Amino acid sequence: NLWMVEEGNITLTEGQATYDLPTDTIDLIEMVIRTSSSDLSIQRIGMPTYASIPNKTTSGRPVQIWVNRQIEPSVTVWPVPDSGAYTLVYWRMRRIYDAGNHGALTFDVPERLLPCLIAGLAYKLAQKRPELAPRLPMLEAEYNKLWEWASTEDREKVSVRLVPSGW
């Protein structure tokens, strides 16, 4: 994976519809509107749906959100918040930090994925050295085995329930 998942939040301001997201945001996975007493669902909509809202200045508790995934990502909520009592809580996918950035020499990779990262690096480096050509099949097989494990391990482990529409 070339991303990490982390939680974030934005305190919504009365009368303001659009808010900037951190620039390393790839996308938002889940979002809720938090009040002092509960978390309330908010529906994600696309740009065409947002564009078709006739009165974008209607105020109230936000129930819809448009995620604008440009170079400088932002979110726009509708209705426009009618008070400062709301917080947008979100779970976002963000780009993985380079090892040399942020003043650290630590990989921004979950520990469970390190064996796959190391095997992939060994395989890629061996491709650059002609004297290591005899080891390439073994290194490739090891990398593929660890990648298969890592890619199936890194998933949600929850039950799924599908209900037909209209039931």
Side-chain angles (χ1 to χ4, degrees):
N1 295 337
L2 298 177
W3 66 86
M4 300 290 286
V5 175
E6 67 183 17
E7 184 177 338
N9 65 72
I10 299 171
T11 301
L12 303 183
T13 304
E14 181 179 350
Q16 180 180 342
T18 302
Y19 302 85
D20 293 333
L21 291 169
T23 56
D24 60 351
T25 300
I26 297 169
D27 200 358
L28 299 187
I29 301 169
E30 284 293 329
M31 300 140 288
V32 295
I33 294 293
R34 182 166 290 162
T35 65
S36 60
S37 60
S38 61
D39 286 353
L40 307 165
S41 295
I42 187 165
Q43 177 188 19
R44 183 172 178 160
I45 60 173
M47 184 270 301
T49 303
Y50 180 74
S52 70
I53 294 172
N55 185 354
K56 293 177 180 58
T57 61
T58 300
S59 65
R61 177 182 65 84
V63 295
Q64 294 181 321
I65 186 168
W66 168 43
V67 180
N68 187 354
R69 298 177 54 207
Q70 300 300 314
I71 292 172
E72 296 192 16
S74 64
V75 293
T76 301
V77 295
W78 186 86
V80 177
D82 59 355
S83 75
Y86 308 114
T87 301
L88 173 66
V89 179
Y90 58 84
W91 289 264
R92 72 182 184 120
M93 292 170 39
R94 72 157 170 82
R95 288 190 296 276
I96 289 179
Y97 300 136
D98 293 337
N101 288 352
H102 307 285
L105 295 176
T106 305
F107 288 109
D108 192 14
V109 176
E111 189 173 326
R112 67 186 178 280
L113 302 180
L114 285 176
C116 179
L117 175 86
I118 294 165
L121 181 59
Y123 174 58
K124 292 293 185 184
L125 288 173
Q127 290 176 327
K128 310 285 184 205
R129 305 284 306 255
E131 67 272 15
L132 296 176
R135 291 187 174 199
L136 284 176
M138 181 271 303
L139 290 170
E140 182 180 21
E142 181 67 9
Y143 168 65
N144 287 334
K145 178 181 80 173
L146 289 169
W147 168 249
E148 183 64 31
W149 174 83
S151 64
T152 59
E153 168 63 23
D154 204 19
R155 62 181 171 79
E156 289 285 344
K157 296 175 178 117
V158 296
S159 298
V160 176
R161 181 174 178 241
L162 303 175
V163 178
S165 176
W167 288 77

